[in-house]
Amino acid sequence: MFPAGPPSHSLLRLPLLQLLLLVVQAVGRGLGRASPAGGPLEDVVIERYHIPRACPREVQMGDFVRYHYNGTFEDGKKFDSSYDRNTLVAIVVGVGRLITGMDRGLMGMCVNERRRLIVPPHLGYGSIGLAGLIPPDATLYFDVVLLDVWNKEDTVQVSTLLRPPHCPRMVQDGDFVRYHYNGTLLDGTSFDTSYSKGGTYDTYVGSGWLIKGMDQGLLGMCPGERRKIIIPPFLAYGEKGYVIPPQASLVFHVLLIDVHNPKDAVQLETLELPPGCVRRAGAGDFMRYHYNGSLMDGTLFDSSYSRNHTYNTYIGQGYIIPGMDQGLQGACMGERRRITIPPHLAYGENGTGDKIPGSAVLIFNVHVIDFHNPADVVEIRTLSRPSETCNETTKLGDFVRYHYNCSLLDGTQLFTSHDYGAPQEATLGANKVIEGLDTGLQGMCVGERRQLIVPPHLAHGESGARGVPGSAVLLFEVELVSREDGLPTGYLFVWHKDPPANLFEDMDLNKDGEVPPEEFSTFIKAQVSEGKGRLMPGQDPEKTIGDMFQNQDRNQDGKITVDELKLKSDEDEERVHEEL
């Protein structure tokens, strides 16, 4: 640093145009020459031999600057250097703290600009010189590089480099933020970066945990936004510095990862709501849903789609993080919603695993597939009924034929009877179909169409079945094609009226005292064809008749005798007497 020259030399604040003229003069005169006429220099000669492409500001009178220099005489002999002291000059320009020639030579200079200055004696140390260092009437040569410039009137300078199209919220005082940064001095020298530390910088804003300039520079930022923040030293580390040089301006390139406030609640945004939502999920319901989970900057940390399987859980009962528990309640089947969860309702300060950092805001894009409650029953909605009067409806034991389409509640088709070219057949109450479908088919008229919503505990349960996911709610559209009265439990054949008085004699067609399978089959078929009795519906008549014969052939010798032949009603009565 150079002390001020003799008091007789007044300080001049040169306009930029005059400085440029001085440069032109310097080029015209040639460095090292006194003047075109060989006389003494009248002013500082400036050679701008390196000018940076970007120059956001130029040095003006009253600015505080930080610079390096080498000082030599005309013969090249060095008399001083800031490099030798390993200390920048840090001083205010244009207020008499420097020799007049240096004050003038620094005006209009840009950060990282390099200049050569020729300072005539009357703008340096004059006819007196500086004892032991600068002889009288010495012309001084300086090689200067400017590294920093600021003014006490400066404020934090913020430049938005990238702003995301969607900004759910902006940083306010009291918010907790997570951000990455690169910190440099004004000349580009790096002094710190969060990227090398393997994690974001996490802190509260406006609570005194940051330097004042950073507190100000972060305000109004959106998650995913990139900013350049220039902070003057009096809003940074001031005269003492901290790892960085004293009186240094700081430049931060900041990427905001996320922001939340300890008072934040779960934020819900409905992305798609299916029409006709008649039921919304509540605490205690069991839900199946797909999701993509990301951090606030868009980084994906988990997805149920990648596992090709829904996430299945009870809601409102503590099985999932509190924010998700809250965010899923009130949803409709088929709804898509975005759930933003602050860390105190997610994984807190510690995070979890290697994908969710501490204090992270989580965003879930959720598609609700279905939900049910363990207390749910089959929901039945009649789509159409035949115009004719319906005197008989289906009941337990009836044999029914019906067409059906079966799907999940998100519309995924599972099965349809139309693929088989024939109606499905079942005896109601015989445990041949899932319980919910059995229930939904009861009380129907032939020709009626119904929609059935069957909860999983009345369908295929938690394990599911081939083609049916576990815990899936099923949607059926059924149409009853026909119904037949069933037979009492345990009966394969019944008479419409009383059986023949001489049953064995009527059955023994050739009157040889025994009934082989052929005679038995012929007799039963005749009873059916004449309308005197009927076989169990829904089964192969030949098999049913064969089973009946086997039941009567007690000794399994291939024929029935009069002693073996007994009606089921007689067998049941004998069994009652045995129990008594």
Side-chain angles (χ1 to χ4, degrees):
M1 177 166 31
F2 301 94
S8 61
H9 297 123
S10 61
L11 296 174
L12 296 177
R13 181 174 181 176
L14 299 180
L16 180 60
L17 178 60
Q18 187 173 344
L19 286 173
L20 294 176
L21 289 175
L22 287 174
V23 174
V24 173
Q25 291 173 2
V27 174
R29 295 170 182 170
L31 293 177
R33 290 167 48 191
S35 72
L41 293 174
E42 296 180 359
D43 209 336
V44 178
V45 176
I46 301 173
E47 178 192 1
R48 304 178 71 185
Y49 70 90
H50 174 74
I51 303 174
R53 291 183 179 180
C55 183
R57 71 182 293 174
E58 299 175 344
V59 176
Q60 299 182 22
M61 186 178 294
D63 283 349
F64 194 101
V65 296
R66 296 171 54 248
Y67 63 90
H68 265 308
Y69 72 93
N70 282 316
T72 62
F73 298 117
E74 185 173 3
D75 62 1
K77 180 181 178 181
K78 182 168 64 175
F79 63 84
D80 195 16
S81 172
S82 63
Y83 295 99
D84 293 345
R85 295 188 296 274
N86 197 31
T87 302
L88 290 165
V89 177
I91 199 167
V92 179
V93 178
V95 294
R97 296 181 182 177
L98 293 168
I99 59 173
T100 304
M102 182 62 77
D103 259 347
R104 294 183 182 183
L106 292 173
M107 291 297 171
M109 205 168 179
C110 303
V111 172
N112 284 326
E113 181 179 343
R114 294 179 180 271
R115 288 184 176 183
R116 293 189 181 96
L117 310 179
I118 303 177
V119 180
H122 67 281
L123 298 179
Y125 292 94
S127 59
I128 299 176
L130 188 64
L133 184 63
I134 308 293
D137 297 317
T139 298
L140 306 179
Y141 294 76
F142 294 97
D143 195 310
V144 180
V145 56
L146 184 68
L147 301 179
D148 199 347
V149 55
W150 58 272
N151 192 284
K152 63 181 180 179
E153 303 299 328
D154 284 351
T155 58
V156 176
Q157 301 174 48
V158 176
S159 303
T160 299
L161 307 179
L162 174 66
R163 191 177 180 90
H166 177 69
C167 182
R169 69 175 297 170
M170 295 184 288
V171 176
Q172 301 177 7
D173 279 333
D175 283 348
F176 190 92
V177 295
R178 297 174 52 248
Y179 62 91
H180 273 301
Y181 69 89
N182 286 317
T184 65
L185 304 179
L186 208 58
D187 67 342
T189 301
S190 177
F191 64 83
D192 195 16
T193 175
S194 64
Y195 294 97
S196 65
K197 298 178 173 64
T200 54
Y201 191 81
D202 306 343
T203 186
Y204 285 96
V205 175
S207 300
W209 292 26
L210 292 167
I211 57 175
K212 293 181 179 179
M214 184 62 86
D215 261 343
Q216 297 176 24
L218 292 172
L219 292 176
M221 278 192 86
C222 299
E225 182 177 341
R226 295 180 182 270
R227 280 186 178 182
K228 178 181 178 182
I229 303 173
I230 302 177
I231 304 174
F234 56 86
L235 294 175
Y237 295 102
E239 297 181 0
K240 295 182 179 180
Y242 178 77
V243 180
I244 58 173
Q247 300 289 22
S249 301
L250 306 183
V251 181
F252 290 93
H253 283 81
V254 175
L255 167 61
L256 184 66
I257 302 300
D258 69 28
V259 52
H260 78 276
N261 193 285
K263 299 179 182 179
D264 283 351
V266 174
Q267 300 176 41
L268 301 179
E269 180 184 356
T270 298
L271 306 178
E272 180 181 337
L273 185 64
C277 176
V278 296
R279 174 178 177 179
R280 295 182 178 270
D285 283 347
F286 190 91
M287 181 179 286
R288 298 191 316 122
Y289 61 93
H290 272 302
Y291 69 90
N292 285 319
S294 63
L295 304 179
M296 221 170 187
D297 66 345
T299 302
L300 186 72
F301 63 80
D302 193 18
S303 173
S304 64
Y305 295 99
S306 66
R307 296 185 290 274
N308 197 30
H309 194 283
T310 55
Y311 192 84
N312 306 335
T313 185
Y314 286 96
I315 62 174
Q317 296 188 342
Y319 289 100
I320 49 181
I321 57 175
M324 185 64 89
D325 246 351
Q326 296 176 25
L328 292 173
Q329 294 186 48
C332 295
M333 294 186 193
E335 180 178 342
R336 296 178 185 270
R337 58 169 54 179
R338 179 177 291 125
I339 305 173
T340 302
I341 304 175
H344 52 276
L345 295 175
Y347 294 100
E349 296 181 0
N350 297 324
T352 184
D354 58 355
K355 293 186 177 180
I356 299 181
S359 300
V361 177
L362 306 183
I363 299 178
F364 291 92
N365 285 292
V366 173
H367 180 203
V368 178
I369 303 302
D370 64 36
F371 56 84
H372 73 279
N373 193 283
D376 284 350
V377 296
V378 178
E379 294 182 34
I380 300 174
R381 184 163 71 94
T382 299
L383 303 178
S384 66
R385 292 175 69 94
S387 56
E388 301 84 4
T389 302
C390 176
N391 295 320
E392 293 184 335
T393 58
T394 53
K395 60 186 180 300
L396 287 176
D398 282 357
F399 177 75
V400 296
R401 291 183 177 87
Y402 59 96
H403 274 299
Y404 73 92
N405 292 314
C406 176
S407 64
L408 302 178
L409 288 187
D410 65 351
T412 303
Q413 186 77 28
L414 298 179
F415 313 107
T416 175
S417 61
H418 298 284
D419 287 344
Y420 305 104
Q424 182 78 6
E425 298 178 344
T427 299
L428 299 182
N431 296 321
K432 298 299 183 182
V433 294
I434 58 174
E435 184 178 349
L437 180 56
D438 203 316
T439 300
L441 288 170
Q442 295 176 39
M444 288 187 77
C445 298
V446 174
E448 181 179 343
R449 294 177 57 246
R450 284 182 175 180
Q451 181 187 78
L452 311 176
I453 297 179
V454 182
H457 53 276
L458 298 176
H460 295 286
E462 295 182 3
S463 301
R466 188 174 63 178
V468 180
S471 300
V473 179
L474 301 183
L475 174 66
F476 286 92
E477 288 192 0
V478 296
E479 179 181 4
L480 186 63
V481 176
S482 66
R483 62 162 293 277
E484 298 178 43
D485 288 334
L487 300 185
T489 302
Y491 283 75
L492 299 176
F493 174 89
V494 295
W495 274 276
H496 294 311
K497 296 182 180 181
D498 291 336
N502 299 309
L503 179 58
F504 184 81
E505 293 178 6
D506 291 350
M507 193 178 293
D508 182 11
L509 301 181
N510 62 3
K511 308 305 179 184
D512 63 353
E514 57 187 27
V515 178
E518 295 79 10
E519 286 185 345
F520 185 85
S521 177
T522 300
F523 174 78
I524 295 298
K525 289 178 181 179
Q527 299 298 301
V528 173
S529 64
E530 294 170 8
K532 296 178 180 180
R534 58 191 177 90
L535 292 165
M536 174 181 286
Q539 294 193 14
D540 179 14
E542 296 294 343
K543 182 179 184 306
T544 301
I545 294 172
D547 291 341
M548 292 170 61
F549 182 85
Q550 291 296 323
N551 291 339
Q552 296 298 323
D553 183 11
R554 313 290 175 175
N555 60 8
Q556 303 299 306
D557 62 355
K559 56 184 180 294
I560 300 172
T561 63
V562 66
D563 294 331
E564 290 177 313
L565 182 64
K566 292 181 181 178
L567 297 177
K568 188 172 189 320
S569 57
D570 296 333
E571 292 178 348
D572 292 341
E573 184 176 348
E574 289 179 2
R575 192 171 297 114
V576 170
H577 287 302
E578 290 172 0
E579 292 174 357
L580 291 175

